[in-house]
């Protein structure tokens, strides 16, 4: 999130350009951590969107189940990380001398499109239909409608903006130290959908 709406592949040296309030809070927290390094040595982990059985993904899975379309074409890369892999990465860097004072981008190594992710959620739900798509302007119009009628919804301008972004990451720095994500996107979707259905 601290890199904002970037183009290309992000690594630890990519510019910090947060745009949303959430992203700005992440960047501000990092700044505090960096400024406190002499008092409290720390390691910064910048994770991709975390995939797992939580309230956010439950809402997304329910929308897919109802046949909600992909906003835009869904061709942009959308690397994620399964929650178990993120925990594994945090444990891996914890207390390692080589990691103190360093920043690491943490994500699954393999790149997928948002369309691939959507298709895999449909597959895990047993849905065999074609993937529907909707233009961004249409989604923003729906978000405006929800806002005007005062209805709480995951469909908001902020969510739409985050959804249509490119999410492509270079995890070479942490991979070079010996850590790699073990749960691929397909398995992450399968485990998440199963957990949410339990």
């Amino acid at each position: 999130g601290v890199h904002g709406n970037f183009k290309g592949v992000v690594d630890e040296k990519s510019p910090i350009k947060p745009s949303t309030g959430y992203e700005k809070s992440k960047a501000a927290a990092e700044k505090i951590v960096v400024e406190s390094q002499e008092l409290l040595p720390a390691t910064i982990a910048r994770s991709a969107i975390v995939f797992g059985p939580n309230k956010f993904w439950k809402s997304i899975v329910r929308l897919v189940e109802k046949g909600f379309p992909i906003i835009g074409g869904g061709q942009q890369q959308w690397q994620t990380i399964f929650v178990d892999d993120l925990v594994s990465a945090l444990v891996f860097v914890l207390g390692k001398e080589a990691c103190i004072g360093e920043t690491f981008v943490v994500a699954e190594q393999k790149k997928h499109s948002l369309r691939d992710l959507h298709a895999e959620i449909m597959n895990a739900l047993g849905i065999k239909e074609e993937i529907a798509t909707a233009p961004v302007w249409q989604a923003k119009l729906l978000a405006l409608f929800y806002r005007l009628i005062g209805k709480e919804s995951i469909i908001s301008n902020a969510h739409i903006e985050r959804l249509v972004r490119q999410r492509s990451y270079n995890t070479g720095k942490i991979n070079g130290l010996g850590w790699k994500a073990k749960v691929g996107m397909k398995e992450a979707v399968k485990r998440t959908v199963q957990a949410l259905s339990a």
Side-chain angles (χ1 to χ4, degrees), residues 45-66:
R46 293 181 186 153
S47 81
I49 286 182
V50 183
F51 204 93
N54 60 28
K55 186 179 173 183
F56 175 78
W57 283 105
K58 185 173 186 175
S59 298
I60 298 291
V61 168
R62 293 298 161 256
L63 285 174
V64 172
E65 202 168 28
K66 291 175 183 174

Side-chain angles (χ1 to χ4, degrees), residues 2-68:
V2 299
H3 298 289
N5 193 6
F6 57 84
K7 302 276 190 258
V9 181
V10 157
D11 64 16
E12 294 79 4
K13 293 177 183 172
S14 298
I16 303 294
K17 290 183 178 177
S19 55
T20 69
Y22 174 77
E23 292 165 356
K24 288 174 183 174
S25 73
K26 291 275 190 185
E30 275 198 18
K31 188 171 184 283
I32 291 167
V33 168
V34 170
E35 288 170 353
S36 306
Q37 285 285 359
E38 287 180 19
L39 299 170
L40 184 68
T43 301
I44 294 171
R46 293 181 186 153
S47 81
I49 286 182
V50 183
F51 204 93
N54 60 28
K55 186 179 173 183
F56 175 78
W57 283 105
K58 185 173 186 175
S59 298
I60 298 291
V61 168
R62 293 298 161 256
L63 285 174
V64 172
E65 202 168 28
K66 291 175 183 174
F68 198 83

Side-chain angles (χ1 to χ4, degrees), residues 162-175:
R162 293 186 78 212
L163 192 64
V164 299
R165 285 185 181 178
Q166 176 85 356
R167 297 184 181 282
S168 183
Y169 308 105
N170 179 343
T171 59
K173 185 175 177 181
I174 193 167
N175 296 160

Side-chain angles (χ1 to χ4, degrees), residues 140-158:
K140 288 190 173 182
L141 197 60
L142 184 61
L144 175 63
F145 171 74
Y146 280 133
R147 199 169 75 238
L148 289 173
I149 65 169
K151 187 175 179 185
E152 188 90 13
S153 173
I154 195 168
I155 304 157
S156 68
N157 272 350

Side-chain angles (χ1 to χ4, degrees), residues 24-129:
K24 288 174 183 174
S25 73
K26 291 275 190 185
E30 275 198 18
K31 188 171 184 283
I32 291 167
V33 168
V34 170
E35 288 170 353
S36 306
Q37 285 285 359
E38 287 180 19
L39 299 170
L40 184 68
T43 301
I44 294 171
R46 293 181 186 153
S47 81
I49 286 182
V50 183
F51 204 93
N54 60 28
K55 186 179 173 183
F56 175 78
W57 283 105
K58 185 173 186 175
S59 298
I60 298 291
V61 168
R62 293 298 161 256
L63 285 174
V64 172
E65 202 168 28
K66 291 175 183 174
F68 198 83
I70 294 180
I71 309 301
Q75 300 305 326
Q76 70 272 32
Q77 288 187 335
W78 237 71
Q79 262 172 287
T80 57
I81 184 166
F82 189 57
V83 62
D84 292 7
D85 277 332
L86 177 56
V87 171
S88 146
L90 296 176
V91 170
F92 177 84
V93 300
L94 195 63
K96 270 196 175 52
E97 192 72 35
C99 298
I100 294 172
E102 296 292 328
T103 298
F104 296 97
V105 171
V106 185
E108 180 195 1
Q109 295 82 238
K110 193 171 178 186
K111 299 181 189 315
H112 306 279
S113 70
L114 178 58
R115 192 177 185 88
D116 293 336
L117 181 62
H118 191 99
E120 205 50 52
I121 293 171
M122 287 176 69
N123 184 50
L125 291 167
I127 299 169
K128 305 296 181 193
E129 299 161 20

